[in-house]
Amino acid sequence: MKIYFYNTLTKTKEEFVPLEGNQVRIYTCGPTVYKDASIGNMKSYIFMDNLRRVLKYNGYQLKHAMNITDVGHLVSDADEGEDKMVKAAKEEKKSPLEIAQIYTERFFKDFDRLNIDRPEIICKATDHIKEMEEFVQKLLDNGYAYETSTAIYFDVSKLDKYGILSGIDLRNQKAGARVEIDAEKRNPYDFALWIKAPENHIMKWESPWGLCYPGWHIECSTMSNKYLGEVFDIHTGGIDLVPTHHENEIAQSKGCTRKNSSKVLDAL
Amino acid sequence: MHCEFLLIDGGKMSKSLGNTYLVQDLIDKGYEALAYKMMCFTSHYRNKLNFTWEALESSQNALNRLREGYKKHLEGNAKIEEEVIQEYKKRFLEAINDDLNMPVAMSVVWDVVKNSNKSKQLAELLLDFDKVLGVDIQKSEVKREIEIPEEIKDLIEKRKIARENKNWELSDKIRDELKEKGYIIKDTKEGTQIEKI
């Protein structure tokens, strides 16, 4: 029997046919493990479980990756504020690593209690710093990114259709009108890929651009690319992720591979 | 594919309103986490879902009814035409393959539960549907722990002493008093059990 799924990008239900034979490759944006997940967060994972089970019921094999964000997700969701992990670590007087361990464990305890079928691949951002660095380098090489005194930014003006997922029209955006403007940013919607760490920052890694930490969005493009390939079938997440996180993820993947990363989400 | 928000009592979930509920909070109030999963199936993933404690209570009851319904079919011996089973299966599959339309899929599940011909074939069908639902339909109904007020505990204790002294008159009087206060007491081989009316 035919399967139909709703594509966030085209805003229509489309017949679903996997890219390759009987296998469906899925990427899900997982939790930022700095506090307990609410039942509101869990609604989105119950949906993910439902999707997995329906595909399996139809006889498909799954290759599904979900990330655990344990670095780089700033308080504002955009490029402002403190890293959520660092903030929680200070508040609870623990290390960011301990915070991540505690809340990851509690997150999966809820998975078990809700009978949520776990993705085949669970990947942590901090385990993929090197790969993220390479991804950023590739974006620089391809001309989609530039360096300033504080960060490496993605240049959204290099993509014709940036904003297509959430319906932002860059032509109608005046610099500084809605988005905090950094004097060195070329366009207001440019977002940080790689952030140069201030001296007292606790989570930072050696890189060609000095001691840095990754931006929030780069991990998902890097890990989906590593585990599922340049193009995969389905990308899922909560609706709140559409305007910033998924928009930027699509842009990064396009900038790196010149391809549209997932079929049932996007096509820049 | 993106999943819509959850509302709490028709509004936003926020720290300042103190309504950022966790799965643990539901369990602490005596509900199963899976009751919340059942609640999610009452609306489409692309719609907002409104969480209320009353709605969670109904979802827990629905989960219990689903498990009871499975058990009744399992004990039944009726013979169901293969065509009928295939028709249920088709409707269920059509619903889930239509962008995960769980409210419609659940209506098929309830049709199967309510089928008055109790049959092992239908129990097997429900078990098959549970591969998609993942709500442990084979689990037997869980008796919920009830919170007993001190006053009631005292009465139970007094009644226990009365029974030990074979003072049946007093014991019966206390039993009636408990009933008036909304508790039913039963004496079983395993000891005294109390239920809230």
Side-chain angles (χ1 to χ4, degrees):
Chain A
M1 195 183 278
K2 284 181 180 176
I3 304 181
Y4 296 88
F5 289 141
Y6 183 83
N7 186 334
T8 309
L9 186 78
T10 61
K11 298 188 173 60
T12 47
K13 261 191 242 175
E14 295 170 0
E15 187 186 340
F16 175 74
V17 182
L19 292 161
E20 263 181 52
N22 199 41
Q23 194 188 56
V24 183
R25 284 171 290 167
I26 311 169
Y27 188 82
T28 293
C29 280
T32 302
V33 283
Y34 70 108
K35 65 171 186 184
D36 280 316
S38 71
I39 55 170
N41 302 127
M42 281 300 153
K43 179 179 187 279
S44 163
Y45 299 105
I46 290 172
F47 149 69
M48 176 201 90
D49 170 73
N50 211 208
L51 174 68
R52 288 181 56 81
R53 289 171 180 272
V54 165
L55 287 165
K56 280 184 174 177
Y57 193 79
N58 278 275
Y60 290 113
Q61 301 263 326
L62 305 185
K63 189 174 186 187
H64 182 180
M66 181 178 81
N67 67 306
I68 302 284
T69 299
D70 54 358
V71 67
H73 189 175
L74 306 189
V75 171
S76 74
D77 271 14
D79 300 330
E80 296 149 48
E82 215 173 347
D83 186 312
K84 290 183 175 186
M85 295 303 300
V86 173
K87 187 165 180 270
K90 280 184 195 163
E91 282 167 6
E92 297 192 32
K93 297 194 170 57
K94 293 192 168 73
S95 71
L97 186 74
E98 284 170 315
I99 291 288
Q101 275 170 349
I102 294 168
Y103 291 109
T104 304
E105 209 171 283
R106 284 160 76 150
F107 178 77
F108 285 117
K109 190 175 168 194
D110 282 353
F111 262 42
D112 292 342
R113 300 201 278 205
L114 288 163
N115 246 339
I116 292 174
D117 197 28
R118 288 192 201 193
E120 286 69 28
I121 303 152
I122 308 279
C123 38
K124 272 163 50 188
T126 50
D127 286 342
H128 297 79
I129 299 290
K130 196 74 202 157
E131 283 109 328
M132 286 191 238
E133 182 193 307
E134 286 163 11
F135 204 104
V136 173
Q137 185 61 58
K138 216 162 178 184
L139 288 171
L140 282 165
D141 294 346
N142 290 350
Y144 285 89
Y146 60 93
E147 185 178 356
T148 72
S149 61
T150 55
I152 314 274
Y153 282 107
F154 188 95
D155 185 346
V156 299
S157 69
K158 296 285 182 215
L159 292 173
D160 291 343
K161 292 177 181 172
Y162 179 81
I164 195 168
L165 185 70
S166 47
I168 308 167
D169 188 347
L170 293 186
R171 285 165 306 183
N172 296 334
Q173 299 294 331
K174 289 192 189 102
R178 271 181 50 216
V179 187
E180 188 83 8
I181 190 148
D182 169 340
E184 290 181 80
K185 262 161 84 166
R186 291 182 190 164
N187 314 287
Y189 273 94
D190 287 354
F191 56 91
L193 297 165
W194 205 250
I195 303 158
K196 296 183 183 174
E199 211 165 303
N200 57 357
H201 197 84
I202 17 182
M203 297 178 93
K204 55 191 168 189
W205 289 266
E206 200 58 69
S207 81
W209 311 282
L211 283 169
C212 292
Y213 62 95
W216 176 32
H217 320 296
I218 195 71
E219 61 177 274
C220 288
S221 292
T222 304
M223 294 192 278
S224 65
N225 190 303
K226 175 176 176 181
Y227 295 107
L228 306 174
E230 290 180 355
V231 185
F232 53 94
D233 295 289
I234 303 174
H235 193 303
T236 80
I239 196 96
D240 52 321
L241 296 175
V242 172
T244 310
H245 187 57
H246 289 170
E247 195 77 67
N248 293 345
E249 205 181 318
I250 296 170
Q252 290 166 162
S253 298
K254 179 78 175 178
C256 176
T257 65
R258 316 282 168 98
K259 285 177 191 158
N260 304 317
S261 57
S262 92
K263 243 179 58 173
V264 189
L265 172 75
D266 54 57
L268 277 187
Chain B
M1 295 175 81
H2 288 91
C3 181
E4 257 293 353
F5 284 121
L6 179 74
L7 299 174
I8 306 287
D9 297 322
K12 268 196 168 179
M13 182 188 270
S14 84
K15 225 184 191 175
S16 58
L17 292 170
N19 63 5
T20 309
Y21 301 127
L22 311 180
V23 171
Q24 186 62 51
D25 295 326
L26 313 189
I27 292 170
D28 290 345
K29 289 216 174 190
Y31 298 99
E32 276 178 80
L34 291 176
Y36 177 61
K37 197 177 194 182
M38 285 289 281
M39 192 174 147
C40 289
F41 296 156
T42 61
S43 104
H44 193 270
Y45 77 87
R46 281 194 283 122
N47 292 333
K48 290 187 179 74
L49 174 69
N50 187 28
F51 177 91
T52 62
W53 289 103
E54 292 76 35
L56 186 66
E57 177 77 30
S58 332
S59 294
Q60 178 71 60
N61 291 338
L63 180 59
N64 296 346
R65 274 205 311 279
L66 176 58
R67 287 171 178 159
E68 261 166 52
Y70 166 76
K71 225 167 112 190
K72 276 187 189 149
H73 277 308
L74 199 63
E75 289 158 359
N77 283 315
K79 173 93 182 75
I80 306 286
E81 295 284 334
E82 191 51 34
E83 274 170 34
V84 175
I85 293 181
Q86 286 311 318
E87 182 58 26
Y88 282 135
K89 263 199 127 159
K90 189 173 156 255
R91 282 172 55 208
F92 183 78
L93 195 62
E94 263 169 10
I96 60 172
N97 284 3
D98 178 19
D99 196 29
L100 316 176
N101 196 336
M102 294 313 287
V104 173
M106 286 311 292
S107 71
V108 182
V109 171
W110 291 117
D111 284 350
V112 176
V113 170
K114 286 176 194 154
N115 191 319
S116 54
N117 296 314
K118 300 300 166 200
S119 154
K120 288 185 180 56
Q121 291 159 281
L122 294 180
E124 209 174 293
L125 183 65
L126 287 172
L127 204 56
D128 181 60
F129 291 166
D130 194 38
K131 284 183 202 156
V132 172
L133 310 179
V135 292
D136 266 349
I137 65 161
Q138 280 178 298
K139 191 171 164 186
S140 38
E141 197 193 332
V142 207
K143 280 269 178 291
R144 272 195 263 167
E145 295 279 326
I146 48 168
E147 267 179 53
I148 302 166
E150 282 305 311
E151 179 202 12
I152 304 298
K153 280 185 192 162
D154 283 350
L155 284 171
I156 297 169
E157 191 56 32
K158 274 184 196 155
R159 184 171 172 270
K160 193 180 155 206
I161 296 164
R163 281 170 63 82
E164 276 163 9
N165 297 330
K166 301 201 186 323
N167 185 346
W168 308 119
E169 200 183 325
L170 181 62
S171 143
D172 286 351
K173 210 180 129 205
I174 296 174
R175 189 190 59 200
D176 294 342
E177 198 181 335
L178 280 167
K179 200 174 172 185
E180 259 172 49
K181 291 184 191 295
Y183 291 87
I184 287 182
I185 202 154
K186 282 179 189 162
D187 300 303
T188 70
K189 277 181 205 160
E190 289 83 33
T192 303
Q193 286 181 356
I194 187 120
E195 267 178 40
K196 204 172 174 182
I197 303 168

mmCIF file of all heavy atoms in Angstrom, chain B residues 151-185:
data_model
loop_
_atom_site.group_PDB
_atom_site.id
_atom_site.type_symbol
_atom_site.label_atom_id
_atom_site.label_comp_id
_atom_site.label_asym_id
_atom_site.label_seq_id
_atom_site.Cartn_x
_atom_site.Cartn_y
_atom_site.Cartn_z
ATOM 1 N N GLU B 151 -6.999 9.865 58.676
ATOM 2 C CA GLU B 151 -8.274 9.570 59.352
ATOM 3 C C GLU B 151 -8.784 8.175 58.954
ATOM 4 O O GLU B 151 -9.225 7.391 59.789
ATOM 5 C CB GLU B 151 -9.282 10.656 58.934
ATOM 6 C CG GLU B 151 -10.655 10.497 59.529
ATOM 7 C CD GLU B 151 -11.736 11.228 58.716
ATOM 8 O OE1 GLU B 151 -11.442 11.665 57.571
ATOM 9 O OE2 GLU B 151 -12.856 11.339 59.207
ATOM 10 N N ILE B 152 -8.674 7.890 57.683
ATOM 11 C CA ILE B 152 -9.141 6.590 57.172
ATOM 12 C C ILE B 152 -8.227 5.472 57.673
ATOM 13 O O ILE B 152 -8.689 4.399 58.075
ATOM 14 C CB ILE B 152 -9.187 6.618 55.618
ATOM 15 C CG1 ILE B 152 -10.067 7.769 55.115
ATOM 16 C CG2 ILE B 152 -9.643 5.282 55.035
ATOM 17 C CD1 ILE B 152 -11.543 7.708 55.510
ATOM 18 N N LYS B 153 -6.911 5.773 57.652
ATOM 19 C CA LYS B 153 -5.956 4.765 58.147
ATOM 20 C C LYS B 153 -6.261 4.396 59.597
ATOM 21 O O LYS B 153 -6.198 3.225 59.972
ATOM 22 C CB LYS B 153 -4.515 5.309 58.038
ATOM 23 C CG LYS B 153 -3.932 5.202 56.645
ATOM 24 C CD LYS B 153 -2.479 5.651 56.655
ATOM 25 C CE LYS B 153 -1.958 5.824 55.239
ATOM 26 N NZ LYS B 153 -0.756 6.641 55.208
ATOM 27 N N ASP B 154 -6.598 5.418 60.411
ATOM 28 C CA ASP B 154 -6.943 5.180 61.830
ATOM 29 C C ASP B 154 -8.148 4.251 61.954
ATOM 30 O O ASP B 154 -8.146 3.320 62.749
ATOM 31 C CB ASP B 154 -7.275 6.510 62.532
ATOM 32 C CG ASP B 154 -6.010 7.284 62.866
ATOM 33 O OD1 ASP B 154 -4.911 6.697 62.732
ATOM 34 O OD2 ASP B 154 -6.130 8.464 63.248
ATOM 35 N N LEU B 155 -9.179 4.542 61.126
ATOM 36 C CA LEU B 155 -10.397 3.719 61.162
ATOM 37 C C LEU B 155 -10.085 2.265 60.790
ATOM 38 O O LEU B 155 -10.583 1.334 61.406
ATOM 39 C CB LEU B 155 -11.453 4.294 60.217
ATOM 40 C CG LEU B 155 -12.194 5.549 60.725
ATOM 41 C CD1 LEU B 155 -13.055 6.141 59.622
ATOM 42 C CD2 LEU B 155 -13.061 5.218 61.949
ATOM 43 N N ILE B 156 -9.233 2.116 59.775
ATOM 44 C CA ILE B 156 -8.864 0.754 59.341
ATOM 45 C C ILE B 156 -8.155 0.019 60.483
ATOM 46 O O ILE B 156 -8.423 -1.162 60.742
ATOM 47 C CB ILE B 156 -7.971 0.803 58.069
ATOM 48 C CG1 ILE B 156 -8.754 1.433 56.905
ATOM 49 C CG2 ILE B 156 -7.475 -0.587 57.688
ATOM 50 C CD1 ILE B 156 -7.910 1.785 55.691
ATOM 51 N N GLU B 157 -7.281 0.746 61.155
ATOM 52 C CA GLU B 157 -6.532 0.155 62.261
ATOM 53 C C GLU B 157 -7.474 -0.272 63.404
ATOM 54 O O GLU B 157 -7.375 -1.379 63.930
ATOM 55 C CB GLU B 157 -5.471 1.174 62.739
ATOM 56 C CG GLU B 157 -4.437 0.622 63.715
ATOM 57 C CD GLU B 157 -3.674 -0.605 63.197
ATOM 58 O OE1 GLU B 157 -3.448 -0.700 61.977
ATOM 59 O OE2 GLU B 157 -3.332 -1.475 64.039
ATOM 60 N N LYS B 158 -8.425 0.650 63.729
ATOM 61 C CA LYS B 158 -9.410 0.356 64.803
ATOM 62 C C LYS B 158 -10.230 -0.890 64.436
ATOM 63 O O LYS B 158 -10.541 -1.719 65.288
ATOM 64 C CB LYS B 158 -10.370 1.542 64.993
ATOM 65 C CG LYS B 158 -9.832 2.603 65.934
ATOM 66 C CD LYS B 158 -10.872 3.692 66.157
ATOM 67 C CE LYS B 158 -10.216 4.923 66.757
ATOM 68 N NZ LYS B 158 -10.979 6.153 66.462
ATOM 69 N N ARG B 159 -10.595 -0.976 63.164
ATOM 70 C CA ARG B 159 -11.409 -2.098 62.711
ATOM 71 C C ARG B 159 -10.618 -3.411 62.811
ATOM 72 O O ARG B 159 -11.155 -4.448 63.192
ATOM 73 C CB ARG B 159 -11.861 -1.868 61.269
ATOM 74 C CG ARG B 159 -12.791 -2.961 60.759
ATOM 75 C CD ARG B 159 -13.383 -2.583 59.424
ATOM 76 N NE ARG B 159 -14.115 -3.717 58.861
ATOM 77 C CZ ARG B 159 -13.572 -4.640 58.078
ATOM 78 N NH1 ARG B 159 -12.300 -4.563 57.758
ATOM 79 N NH2 ARG B 159 -14.299 -5.635 57.620
ATOM 80 N N LYS B 160 -9.318 -3.281 62.500
ATOM 81 C CA LYS B 160 -8.454 -4.465 62.568
ATOM 82 C C LYS B 160 -8.426 -5.004 64.008
ATOM 83 O O LYS B 160 -8.580 -6.217 64.234
ATOM 84 C CB LYS B 160 -7.031 -4.072 62.116
ATOM 85 C CG LYS B 160 -6.128 -5.254 61.844
ATOM 86 C CD LYS B 160 -4.754 -4.786 61.397
ATOM 87 C CE LYS B 160 -3.714 -5.839 61.714
ATOM 88 N NZ LYS B 160 -2.381 -5.244 61.873
ATOM 89 N N ILE B 161 -8.263 -4.086 64.959
ATOM 90 C CA ILE B 161 -8.231 -4.484 66.377
ATOM 91 C C ILE B 161 -9.571 -5.097 66.791
ATOM 92 O O ILE B 161 -9.621 -6.145 67.447
ATOM 93 C CB ILE B 161 -7.862 -3.269 67.276
ATOM 94 C CG1 ILE B 161 -6.434 -2.809 66.939
ATOM 95 C CG2 ILE B 161 -7.970 -3.627 68.759
ATOM 96 C CD1 ILE B 161 -6.067 -1.438 67.449
ATOM 97 N N ALA B 162 -10.677 -4.457 66.353
ATOM 98 C CA ALA B 162 -12.021 -4.971 66.658
ATOM 99 C C ALA B 162 -12.175 -6.394 66.143
ATOM 100 O O ALA B 162 -12.705 -7.276 66.826
ATOM 101 C CB ALA B 162 -13.072 -4.061 66.038
ATOM 102 N N ARG B 163 -11.686 -6.650 64.951
ATOM 103 C CA ARG B 163 -11.796 -7.993 64.353
ATOM 104 C C ARG B 163 -10.947 -9.006 65.130
ATOM 105 O O ARG B 163 -11.370 -10.151 65.334
ATOM 106 C CB ARG B 163 -11.380 -7.963 62.883
ATOM 107 C CG ARG B 163 -12.472 -7.408 61.974
ATOM 108 C CD ARG B 163 -11.958 -7.164 60.583
ATOM 109 N NE ARG B 163 -11.533 -8.403 59.930
ATOM 110 C CZ ARG B 163 -12.376 -9.259 59.330
ATOM 111 N NH1 ARG B 163 -13.659 -8.994 59.291
ATOM 112 N NH2 ARG B 163 -11.923 -10.357 58.767
ATOM 113 N N GLU B 164 -9.763 -8.555 65.564
ATOM 114 C CA GLU B 164 -8.892 -9.453 66.327
ATOM 115 C C GLU B 164 -9.561 -9.841 67.644
ATOM 116 O O GLU B 164 -9.407 -10.956 68.138
ATOM 117 C CB GLU B 164 -7.543 -8.778 66.595
ATOM 118 C CG GLU B 164 -6.577 -8.935 65.414
ATOM 119 C CD GLU B 164 -5.399 -7.963 65.456
ATOM 120 O OE1 GLU B 164 -5.240 -7.286 66.493
ATOM 121 O OE2 GLU B 164 -4.673 -7.892 64.472
ATOM 122 N N ASN B 165 -10.337 -8.881 68.204
ATOM 123 C CA ASN B 165 -11.066 -9.158 69.446
ATOM 124 C C ASN B 165 -12.442 -9.784 69.196
ATOM 125 O O ASN B 165 -13.267 -9.864 70.093
ATOM 126 C CB ASN B 165 -11.232 -7.867 70.260
ATOM 127 C CG ASN B 165 -9.890 -7.310 70.694
ATOM 128 O OD1 ASN B 165 -8.945 -8.073 70.905
ATOM 129 N ND2 ASN B 165 -9.794 -5.998 70.776
ATOM 130 N N LYS B 166 -12.683 -10.141 67.936
ATOM 131 C CA LYS B 166 -13.951 -10.714 67.508
ATOM 132 C C LYS B 166 -15.155 -9.827 67.847
ATOM 133 O O LYS B 166 -16.245 -10.304 68.118
ATOM 134 C CB LYS B 166 -14.137 -12.135 68.081
ATOM 135 C CG LYS B 166 -13.024 -13.090 67.670
ATOM 136 C CD LYS B 166 -13.456 -14.523 67.799
ATOM 137 C CE LYS B 166 -12.389 -15.566 67.555
ATOM 138 N NZ LYS B 166 -11.391 -15.318 66.522
ATOM 139 N N ASN B 167 -14.933 -8.515 67.860
ATOM 140 C CA ASN B 167 -16.016 -7.560 68.094
ATOM 141 C C ASN B 167 -16.632 -7.194 66.734
ATOM 142 O O ASN B 167 -16.336 -6.175 66.140
ATOM 143 C CB ASN B 167 -15.440 -6.318 68.799
ATOM 144 C CG ASN B 167 -16.533 -5.323 69.195
ATOM 145 O OD1 ASN B 167 -17.680 -5.418 68.738
ATOM 146 N ND2 ASN B 167 -16.174 -4.384 70.052
ATOM 147 N N TRP B 168 -17.477 -8.094 66.227
ATOM 148 C CA TRP B 168 -18.004 -7.951 64.866
ATOM 149 C C TRP B 168 -18.904 -6.737 64.725
ATOM 150 O O TRP B 168 -18.941 -6.108 63.681
ATOM 151 C CB TRP B 168 -18.736 -9.223 64.431
ATOM 152 C CG TRP B 168 -17.911 -10.453 64.610
ATOM 153 C CD1 TRP B 168 -18.208 -11.517 65.395
ATOM 154 C CD2 TRP B 168 -16.640 -10.737 64.014
ATOM 155 N NE1 TRP B 168 -17.215 -12.458 65.343
ATOM 156 C CE2 TRP B 168 -16.226 -12.007 64.490
ATOM 157 C CE3 TRP B 168 -15.784 -10.056 63.150
ATOM 158 C CZ2 TRP B 168 -15.021 -12.599 64.128
ATOM 159 C CZ3 TRP B 168 -14.597 -10.656 62.774
ATOM 160 C CH2 TRP B 168 -14.213 -11.904 63.261
ATOM 161 N N GLU B 169 -19.606 -6.428 65.819
ATOM 162 C CA GLU B 169 -20.529 -5.292 65.776
ATOM 163 C C GLU B 169 -19.760 -3.995 65.451
ATOM 164 O O GLU B 169 -20.107 -3.257 64.534
ATOM 165 C CB GLU B 169 -21.242 -5.165 67.119
ATOM 166 C CG GLU B 169 -22.535 -4.370 67.026
ATOM 167 C CD GLU B 169 -23.182 -4.210 68.396
ATOM 168 O OE1 GLU B 169 -23.078 -5.159 69.215
ATOM 169 O OE2 GLU B 169 -23.732 -3.145 68.641
ATOM 170 N N LEU B 170 -18.668 -3.785 66.239
ATOM 171 C CA LEU B 170 -17.849 -2.583 66.033
ATOM 172 C C LEU B 170 -17.204 -2.590 64.640
ATOM 173 O O LEU B 170 -17.201 -1.583 63.931
ATOM 174 C CB LEU B 170 -16.769 -2.492 67.128
ATOM 175 C CG LEU B 170 -15.847 -1.257 67.051
ATOM 176 C CD1 LEU B 170 -16.646 0.023 67.213
ATOM 177 C CD2 LEU B 170 -14.748 -1.335 68.096
ATOM 178 N N SER B 171 -16.704 -3.762 64.270
ATOM 179 C CA SER B 171 -16.041 -3.896 62.968
ATOM 180 C C SER B 171 -16.991 -3.507 61.828
ATOM 181 O O SER B 171 -16.611 -2.784 60.910
ATOM 182 C CB SER B 171 -15.526 -5.343 62.824
ATOM 183 O OG SER B 171 -15.668 -5.798 61.513
ATOM 184 N N ASP B 172 -18.254 -3.970 61.914
ATOM 185 C CA ASP B 172 -19.236 -3.625 60.875
ATOM 186 C C ASP B 172 -19.580 -2.142 60.888
ATOM 187 O O ASP B 172 -19.766 -1.533 59.840
ATOM 188 C CB ASP B 172 -20.525 -4.443 61.057
ATOM 189 C CG ASP B 172 -20.315 -5.893 60.628
ATOM 190 O OD1 ASP B 172 -19.234 -6.168 60.039
ATOM 191 O OD2 ASP B 172 -21.184 -6.733 60.887
ATOM 192 N N LYS B 173 -19.625 -1.585 62.102
ATOM 193 C CA LYS B 173 -19.955 -0.173 62.236
ATOM 194 C C LYS B 173 -18.868 0.682 61.537
ATOM 195 O O LYS B 173 -19.166 1.625 60.806
ATOM 196 C CB LYS B 173 -20.032 0.195 63.736
ATOM 197 C CG LYS B 173 -21.004 1.320 64.010
ATOM 198 C CD LYS B 173 -21.043 1.662 65.489
ATOM 199 C CE LYS B 173 -20.848 3.151 65.685
ATOM 200 N NZ LYS B 173 -20.312 3.527 66.961
ATOM 201 N N ILE B 174 -17.639 0.286 61.810
ATOM 202 C CA ILE B 174 -16.526 1.035 61.183
ATOM 203 C C ILE B 174 -16.568 0.879 59.661
ATOM 204 O O ILE B 174 -16.339 1.833 58.921
ATOM 205 C CB ILE B 174 -15.154 0.564 61.749
ATOM 206 C CG1 ILE B 174 -15.073 0.890 63.247
ATOM 207 C CG2 ILE B 174 -14.011 1.232 60.992
ATOM 208 C CD1 ILE B 174 -13.856 0.366 63.962
ATOM 209 N N ARG B 175 -16.923 -0.348 59.222
ATOM 210 C CA ARG B 175 -16.989 -0.583 57.779
ATOM 211 C C ARG B 175 -18.004 0.371 57.124
ATOM 212 O O ARG B 175 -17.740 0.962 56.092
ATOM 213 C CB ARG B 175 -17.376 -2.032 57.495
ATOM 214 C CG ARG B 175 -17.250 -2.396 56.026
ATOM 215 C CD ARG B 175 -17.856 -3.730 55.722
ATOM 216 N NE ARG B 175 -19.285 -3.723 56.094
ATOM 217 C CZ ARG B 175 -20.001 -4.810 56.316
ATOM 218 N NH1 ARG B 175 -19.467 -6.001 56.254
ATOM 219 N NH2 ARG B 175 -21.271 -4.715 56.629
ATOM 220 N N ASP B 176 -19.174 0.523 57.807
ATOM 221 C CA ASP B 176 -20.204 1.419 57.273
ATOM 222 C C ASP B 176 -19.737 2.877 57.268
ATOM 223 O O ASP B 176 -20.005 3.620 56.340
ATOM 224 C CB ASP B 176 -21.506 1.290 58.079
ATOM 225 C CG ASP B 176 -22.121 -0.092 57.897
ATOM 226 O OD1 ASP B 176 -21.735 -0.782 56.922
ATOM 227 O OD2 ASP B 176 -22.948 -0.505 58.741
ATOM 228 N N GLU B 177 -19.013 3.219 58.337
ATOM 229 C CA GLU B 177 -18.505 4.588 58.437
ATOM 230 C C GLU B 177 -17.523 4.872 57.279
ATOM 231 O O GLU B 177 -17.552 5.942 56.673
ATOM 232 C CB GLU B 177 -17.807 4.758 59.795
ATOM 233 C CG GLU B 177 -17.632 6.218 60.178
ATOM 234 C CD GLU B 177 -16.921 6.379 61.509
ATOM 235 O OE1 GLU B 177 -16.980 5.441 62.347
ATOM 236 O OE2 GLU B 177 -16.299 7.435 61.720
ATOM 237 N N LEU B 178 -16.681 3.878 57.013
ATOM 238 C CA LEU B 178 -15.723 4.019 55.910
ATOM 239 C C LEU B 178 -16.457 4.211 54.585
ATOM 240 O O LEU B 178 -16.066 5.020 53.746
ATOM 241 C CB LEU B 178 -14.811 2.784 55.831
ATOM 242 C CG LEU B 178 -13.656 2.748 56.824
ATOM 243 C CD1 LEU B 178 -13.053 1.348 56.856
ATOM 244 C CD2 LEU B 178 -12.587 3.773 56.465
ATOM 245 N N LYS B 179 -17.540 3.442 54.434
ATOM 246 C CA LYS B 179 -18.303 3.515 53.187
ATOM 247 C C LYS B 179 -18.889 4.913 53.018
ATOM 248 O O LYS B 179 -18.866 5.484 51.920
ATOM 249 C CB LYS B 179 -19.419 2.458 53.203
ATOM 250 C CG LYS B 179 -19.922 2.137 51.807
ATOM 251 C CD LYS B 179 -20.910 1.005 51.822
ATOM 252 C CE LYS B 179 -21.532 0.844 50.436
ATOM 253 N NZ LYS B 179 -22.589 -0.171 50.453
ATOM 254 N N GLU B 180 -19.370 5.461 54.130
ATOM 255 C CA GLU B 180 -19.915 6.816 54.089
ATOM 256 C C GLU B 180 -18.851 7.816 53.650
ATOM 257 O O GLU B 180 -19.133 8.776 52.944
ATOM 258 C CB GLU B 180 -20.411 7.218 55.488
ATOM 259 C CG GLU B 180 -21.910 7.111 55.658
ATOM 260 C CD GLU B 180 -22.312 7.331 57.092
ATOM 261 O OE1 GLU B 180 -21.839 8.328 57.670
ATOM 262 O OE2 GLU B 180 -23.037 6.474 57.638
ATOM 263 N N LYS B 181 -17.623 7.569 54.076
ATOM 264 C CA LYS B 181 -16.531 8.476 53.731
ATOM 265 C C LYS B 181 -15.945 8.176 52.356
ATOM 266 O O LYS B 181 -14.963 8.796 51.931
ATOM 267 C CB LYS B 181 -15.438 8.405 54.803
ATOM 268 C CG LYS B 181 -15.890 9.002 56.132
ATOM 269 C CD LYS B 181 -14.754 9.013 57.141
ATOM 270 C CE LYS B 181 -15.219 9.348 58.530
ATOM 271 N NZ LYS B 181 -15.745 10.719 58.656
ATOM 272 N N GLY B 182 -16.525 7.174 51.675
ATOM 273 C CA GLY B 182 -16.101 6.933 50.292
ATOM 274 C C GLY B 182 -15.081 5.812 50.109
ATOM 275 O O GLY B 182 -14.426 5.733 49.078
ATOM 276 N N TYR B 183 -14.918 4.941 51.107
ATOM 277 C CA TYR B 183 -13.960 3.832 50.954
ATOM 278 C C TYR B 183 -14.636 2.487 51.194
ATOM 279 O O TYR B 183 -15.417 2.327 52.137
ATOM 280 C CB TYR B 183 -12.791 3.999 51.930
ATOM 281 C CG TYR B 183 -11.910 5.172 51.570
ATOM 282 C CD1 TYR B 183 -12.218 6.453 52.032
ATOM 283 C CD2 TYR B 183 -10.804 5.006 50.742
ATOM 284 C CE1 TYR B 183 -11.443 7.546 51.680
ATOM 285 C CE2 TYR B 183 -10.022 6.098 50.396
ATOM 286 C CZ TYR B 183 -10.338 7.358 50.861
ATOM 287 O OH TYR B 183 -9.562 8.424 50.503
ATOM 288 N N ILE B 184 -14.334 1.548 50.335
ATOM 289 C CA ILE B 184 -14.900 0.207 50.510
ATOM 290 C C ILE B 184 -13.792 -0.706 51.006
ATOM 291 O O ILE B 184 -12.670 -0.697 50.481
ATOM 292 C CB ILE B 184 -15.473 -0.334 49.177
ATOM 293 C CG1 ILE B 184 -16.773 0.404 48.854
ATOM 294 C CG2 ILE B 184 -15.715 -1.835 49.251
ATOM 295 C CD1 ILE B 184 -17.440 -0.071 47.588
ATOM 296 N N ILE B 185 -14.126 -1.468 52.056
ATOM 297 C CA ILE B 185 -13.112 -2.352 52.625
ATOM 298 C C ILE B 185 -13.488 -3.796 52.324
ATOM 299 O O ILE B 185 -14.665 -4.166 52.362
ATOM 300 C CB ILE B 185 -12.952 -2.049 54.138
ATOM 301 C CG1 ILE B 185 -11.594 -2.519 54.633
ATOM 302 C CG2 ILE B 185 -14.082 -2.636 54.962
ATOM 303 C CD1 ILE B 185 -11.122 -1.742 55.845
#
